[in-house]
Amino acid sequence: MKTIHIIGGGLAGTEAAWQAASAGCDVVLHEMRPVRMTEAHVTNGLAELVCSNSFRSDDWENNAVGLLHEEMRRSGSLIMRAGDTHKLPAGGALAVDREGFSAAVERALVSHPHIEVRREEITDLPPDWQNVIVATGPLTSATLSQSLRALTSEDSLAFFDAIAPIVERDSIDLSLAWFQSRYDKKGPGGGDADYINCPMNEDEYRAFVAQLKSGEVTQFHEWEKSTPYFEGCLPIEVMAARGEDTLRFGPMKPVGLRDPKTGRRPYAVVQLRQDNALGTLWNMVGFQTKLKHGEQTRIFRTIPALGDARFARLGGIHRNTFLNSPRLLDSSLRLHARRSLRFAGQITGVEGYVESAAIGLLAGRFAATDALGTEIIPPPETTALGALLAHITKGAMAATFQPMNVNFGLFPPLETETRGRDRKKLMAHRALADLDQWLGRRAAAE
Ligand SMILES: Cc1cc2nc3c(=O)[nH]c(=O)nc-3n(C[C@H](O)[C@H](O)[C@H](O)COP(=O)(O)OP(=O)(O)OC[C@H]3O[C@@H](n4cnc5c(N)ncnc54)[C@H](O)[C@@H]3O)c2cc1C
């Protein structure tokens, strides 16, 4: 049986390694950190979360990413198991303690008898490797990027992604801020006060927006100027420039919140979500930015409850690279131009931790099926896994391909027209029934 080589030990590569080894295959996982770091990673750990610590909604009946969580759990996902073990209070979202999560993933892989982890940068694609998964992510090292570009006739694309600042909790003024989840929604841990809310009145908000618009930002290089932002992760100053109220209808919306001091809804609010198990670090939700570091400190301290804030990390912006997958990849994620090469994770044009791990899960299973000489059966397109896979490999238009989060719009319509929440529920129930059948069918085929 051919060894499966996986390049990149991030969200996708670790999940792929786990799935392939669980199917009985020998896996070598090549991770370049700490020999070479990326612009965003700060630890040596496998499956490091580079920015937010959230896997987003965990509600499988009403939210497509929650459904993806559930499908991955049923498919034996290591990423979901580690996430569930290290979850933190976050309303209806699944947020995780990033250090505990990464350590759990690493422990499971290094102690697996079929997995060898090698700390080395892969700078080119060794021709004698017959079964390879490239899961090097949006920050693929420069030399490997060049090799990939040569192999894909330069048909790769790019966009910008940004990260949000993290504040030390004991520097937040809790005589001005308060704990509450929007609409007091209960989270998986049962808590309904999982966020710290920093209120602003109208004058404070308007002054803040003006500061954001005039703040000094990091300049792009000449070659980066034509690269667009990912719409789901816009820098806060870009949102401010789009309109006076854009932020108040976006990350600073006050709906579902009541300031206990006034008994009223504030004009605008900055929310912070717990970022580590100790509860000492809190992430400014939606505050990704490319403002210069000095400007971030100055402007964010004008938020009344953050007047003395200490920042454990400031925001930043990075270029992401991804393939034109609809043109380049087949339905089992193999490169048309070299079928021994499979791709997984964000580099395939999915967006987000969970989506990246989900494509890793599929790539790991497909590579194992190849190694074992059995037939590849992709998941049905009615499942979240299948819908996402179908979108990147054939559903999206190659000419306008952009990274995509999972959403119910990617699913085939129901047989009878249904609207609103019922539609999502029916799609979610159909997905899990079809997934269970697929998992059973696979077990029988293997
Ligand atoms: C700055 C930034 C912020 C982001 N913030 C969020 C967020 O808040 N929420 C969210 O859901 N998603 C976010 N994303 C998007 C995406 O979900 C993550 O990037 C996710 O980690 C992608 O998973 P991956 O496995 O594809 O890549 P990664 O997790 O980045 O893993 C790739 C791994 O490959 C290694 N590697 C790279 N090149 C080589 C090489 N040549 N040889 C060996 N190893 C190599 C890297 O060191 C890394 O460990 C962000 C992305 C970026 C860049």
Side-chain angles (χ1 to χ4, degrees), residues 6-15 29-34 36-41 43-56 98 118-124 134-145 159-164 230 233 273 283 288 313 316-321 344-348 350-357 360 405:
I6 300 178
I7 313 173
L11 277 296
T14 53
E15 183 66 59
L29 178 62
H30 308 261
E31 168 53 54
M32 69 176 182
R33 288 175 293 121
R36 183 180 293 279
M37 298 300 283
T38 75
E39 303 97 295
H41 291 81
T43 75
N44 301 342
L46 297 179
E48 177 183 332
L49 302 176
V50 285
C51 177
S52 144
N53 63 332
S54 175
F55 285 3
R56 317 201 309 276
R98 61 181 77 234
R118 287 190 202 156
R119 300 290 186 157
E120 60 186 4
E121 181 189 3
I122 302 299
T123 52
D124 206 346
V134 180
T136 44
L139 304 167
T140 297
S141 68
T143 37
L144 185 62
S145 291
F159 69 102
F160 281 112
D161 217 342
I163 57 178
F230 177 60
C233 197
R273 182 182 52 227
N283 199 306
Q288 53 277 357
R313 184 190 69 198
I317 186 126
H318 298 274
R319 191 170 195 265
N320 279 357
T321 305
Q346 179 124 351
I347 200 168
T348 63
V350 294
E351 169 66 25
Y353 300 142
V354 182
E355 288 86 341
S356 297
N405 285 124

Side-chain angles (χ1 to χ4, degrees), residues 90-366:
L94 174 59
V96 307
D97 170 45
R98 61 181 77 234
E99 283 172 20
F101 166 77
S102 162
V105 171
E106 181 149 344
R107 254 193 325 271
L109 296 184
V110 296
S111 61
H112 197 294
H114 285 295
I115 300 177
E116 180 193 343
V117 179
R118 287 190 202 156
R119 300 290 186 157
E120 60 186 4
E121 181 189 3
I122 302 299
T123 52
D124 206 346
L125 297 161
D128 54 328
W129 290 357
Q130 296 303 309
N131 194 342
V132 183
I133 299 176
V134 180
T136 44
L139 304 167
T140 297
S141 68
T143 37
L144 185 62
S145 291
Q146 274 160 18
S147 311
L148 293 175
R149 220 167 287 140
L151 202 63
T152 57
S153 323
E154 310 220 346
D155 200 359
S156 59
L157 307 161
F159 69 102
F160 281 112
D161 217 342
I163 57 178
I166 293 179
V167 180
E168 292 180 30
R169 159 141 179 211
D170 63 2
S171 69
I172 301 171
D173 185 348
L174 289 175
S175 70
L176 297 174
W178 75 100
F179 285 87
Q180 189 186 2
S181 300
R182 263 185 226 289
Y183 300 107
D184 303 314
K185 191 169 175 184
K186 286 213 181 331
D192 57 6
D194 293 344
Y195 290 80
I196 294 180
N197 300 283
C198 306
M200 279 188 186
N201 63 31
E202 183 170 356
D203 289 344
E204 289 159 350
Y205 172 79
R206 301 260 169 243
F208 182 66
V209 169
Q211 294 280 350
L212 288 176
K213 287 201 290 196
S214 61
E216 216 185 324
V217 294
T218 316
Q219 291 305 319
F220 288 130
H221 298 113
E222 198 51 45
W223 53 269
E224 294 174 319
K225 283 187 178 154
S226 58
T227 306
Y229 288 114
F230 177 60
E231 278 291 321
C233 197
L234 285 178
I236 186 156
E237 64 280 1
V238 173
M239 283 188 267
R242 284 190 174 182
E244 201 60 18
D245 287 320
T246 305
L247 286 169
R248 240 167 51 79
F249 289 97
M252 295 181 70
K253 62 177 180 281
V255 297
L257 297 168
R258 184 182 297 268
D259 185 341
K261 274 174 288 303
T262 62
R264 287 204 310 272
R265 185 161 99 176
Y267 189 77
V269 77
V270 177
Q271 285 202 304
L272 294 102
R273 182 182 52 227
Q274 190 174 331
D275 199 78
N276 63 343
L278 287 175
T280 50
L281 299 179
W282 287 67
N283 199 306
M284 295 176 72
V285 179
F287 265 56
Q288 53 277 357
T289 177
K290 75 190 256 290
L291 285 165
K292 286 195 165 164
H293 282 183
E295 291 287 78
Q296 290 184 42
T297 314
R298 179 179 70 76
I299 297 171
F300 295 155
R301 284 192 181 143
T302 67
I303 299 164
L306 300 186
D308 294 318
R310 286 191 309 274
F311 295 92
R313 184 190 69 198
L314 286 160
I317 186 126
H318 298 274
R319 191 170 195 265
N320 279 357
T321 305
F322 61 100
L323 299 175
N324 192 333
S325 297
R327 210 191 316 267
L328 296 171
L329 303 185
D330 73 10
S331 59
S332 79
L333 300 162
R334 282 178 308 199
L335 196 67
H336 293 300
R338 199 195 281 187
R339 289 163 79 83
S340 56
L341 276 191
R342 217 172 228 111
F343 285 81
Q346 179 124 351
I347 200 168
T348 63
V350 294
E351 169 66 25
Y353 300 142
V354 182
E355 288 86 341
S356 297
I359 296 299
L361 184 150
L362 292 175
R365 283 176 167 246
F366 294 158

Side-chain angles (χ1 to χ4, degrees), residues 54-73 80 92-94 351-358 383-385 388 404-411 424 428 432:
S54 175
F55 285 3
R56 317 201 309 276
S57 172
D58 201 27
D59 177 355
W60 70 263
E61 275 190 308
N62 295 299
N63 191 296
V65 79
L67 177 61
L68 194 54
H69 292 171
E70 182 55 25
E71 291 186 10
M72 291 171 70
R73 288 183 181 111
M80 289 311 301
L94 174 59
E351 169 66 25
Y353 300 142
V354 182
E355 288 86 341
S356 297
T383 63
L385 283 165
L388 198 56
M404 181 57 93
N405 285 124
V406 68
N407 62 82
F408 282 110
L410 303 179
F411 290 62
K424 292 182 179 169
L432 291 187

